Each structure stands twice: as structure tokens, then as C-alpha cells.
Amino acid sequence: MIVGKPLLTTREIQEKVKELAGRISMDYAGKELLAVGILKGACMFFSDLVRSVEVPLTIDFIVASSYVKMDTSGEVRIHYDIREEMSDKHVLLIEDIVDTGITLNQIRERVLARGPKSLRICTFLDKKERRVVDVPLDYIGFEIPNMFVVGYGLDCDNKFRNLPYISVFRKKT
Ligand code: IMP
């Protein structure tokens, strides 16, 4: 297995997080915001982002899985669901990467069924060319080509999440 040089450096990531947090702070000024991180992948992005958002907010998480090693299984499993009441809140779902869109689409429908005041989605990475299901994305960090990446929360077989940058990952041939 090979982890290559950074596709996105720590500095580029930090700058993008600040930019997204600035937009979110403006858009949610005066509103009751519930920030929901989709785990495990969004753990680093979520914690950096919410610490840079300058409006009061509450947080919760949803733990979902669909990937087995480097491929999607197409079947989304929910291991922990959002516990916060959301009918009086504006919900912002925070995801690490949107690939086929299957995971996010199912989570989005689950949240909408609980009647939040509004729902927006923020993703750190967007692998647009792999999309199978159309999901509306309100805040996108970086659009990346169809390659498997690790670091900054993203994994392969639960490894490499602690890299402080995004790197392209490929199997040794
Ligand atoms: P989707 O349902 O196909 O959109 O897959 C979304 C989930 O698959 C993400 O939340 C990640 O956990 C995982 N995933 C997709 N692409 C990658 C990648 O390049 N690296 C690591 N995980 C990925």
C-alpha cells in the first residue's frame, strides 16, 4: 500500500476550513444551528469547522458506514443516530466526502423525515464524477478527481485517519 505526497496540504485545508466557516457564520447569523457530523470520516473536518464558526450552535453526530476497504457496498448502516431534537433547529450536515452520494442521500432523507426548520449540507471533498444519486450540496471544500484519498479523517480499512493532510492512496503493484 502506498500513501503518496499530499494532494491537499495542511495549510490549504486550514484556509478552506476558515473560508467555509466564514460563509456558514454569515448564513446562520441569528439562527438556532445544529451541526451534525457524519462519523467517522468527518471527525477532523467537523471539529476544525465548528471551532471556526462564529455563531452559537449545538452539536450531534450520526455514525454511518457503507465502504468496505476501498469500495462502496451500496448498503448504508446506521450505527448511532442523531439524538438532538431538530424541529426547532436549522440542521447542517457535515460530511467528509461525497462519492456515489448513496450514504448522504439516505442520511438526508432520515433527517428531513424529522422535520428540521431547514437542512443544508457541507462536505469537505466532492468526487463529483462518481455520483450515482443526486444530493444537493450547499458548501463544498474541494472538488477532487476520481481517486481514493486518505488522511484528515478519511481512511482505508480504518487506517490513515490521523494524517494531517489529504493524500492519494493506491495499492502497491
Ligand atoms: P458514497 O455513499 O459513495 O457517497 O460514499 C461516502 C462515504 O464513502 C464517505 O463518507 C467515506 O466514508 C467513503 N469514501 C468515499 N470515497 C472515499 C475515499 O476516497 N477515501 C476514503 N473514504 C471514501
Side-chain angles (χ1 to χ4, degrees):
M1 305 279 188
I2 300 173
V3 176
K5 65 178 172 53
L7 176 70
L8 297 168
T9 64
T10 304
R11 196 194 171 100
E12 286 170 323
I13 293 171
Q14 285 168 347
E15 281 170 6
K16 184 59 77 176
V17 168
K18 289 265 179 277
E19 179 197 318
L20 290 171
R23 286 175 53 202
I24 291 166
S25 302
M26 286 211 294
D27 293 351
Y28 286 94
K31 292 182 177 162
E32 287 275 314
L33 174 60
L34 170 61
V36 176
I38 303 176
L39 298 181
K40 300 176 196 169
C43 59
M44 310 295 177
F45 178 52
F46 178 88
S47 54
D48 283 347
L49 188 71
V50 295
R51 282 181 295 167
S52 293
V53 169
E54 289 174 350
V55 294
L57 53 81
T58 48
I59 66 169
D60 206 342
F61 299 98
I62 183 164
V63 184
S65 66
S66 61
Y67 255 60
V68 181
K69 294 204 171 156
M70 289 173 72
D71 217 349
T72 182
S73 65
E75 183 199 346
V76 182
R77 293 207 189 136
I78 306 294
H79 306 281
Y80 171 88
D81 209 347
I82 306 160
R83 293 179 68 178
E84 285 286 309
E85 173 57 44
M86 56 178 87
S87 59
D88 56 344
K89 305 239 172 59
H90 295 273
V91 174
L92 179 64
L93 277 175
I94 299 173
E95 173 66 304
D96 57 348
I97 185 166
V98 187
D99 184 43
T100 62
I102 293 171
T103 309
L104 197 53
N105 185 54
Q106 289 204 19
I107 292 173
R108 180 176 175 268
E109 284 180 359
R110 224 178 156 89
V111 171
L112 284 175
R114 289 177 57 180
K117 276 190 167 170
S118 71
L119 175 61
R120 283 190 182 174
I121 295 171
C122 175
T123 185
F124 176 57
L125 300 177
D126 182 11
K127 251 197 257 179
K128 207 171 177 179
E129 63 187 87
R130 287 256 308 163
R131 201 74 89 253
V132 173
V133 184
D134 226 359
V135 199
L137 303 176
D138 302 282
Y139 307 96
I140 299 168
F142 300 93
E143 207 177 289
I144 61 163
N146 180 15
M147 38 175 63
F148 196 83
V149 292
V150 293
Y152 198 57
L154 286 106
D155 74 309
C156 177
D157 209 11
N158 213 14
K159 299 185 185 88
F160 309 107
R161 292 192 197 273
N162 61 321
L163 291 176
Y165 50 83
I166 291 288
S167 186
V168 178
F169 184 85
R170 59 198 157 84
K171 281 188 179 157
K172 212 171 182 173
T173 45

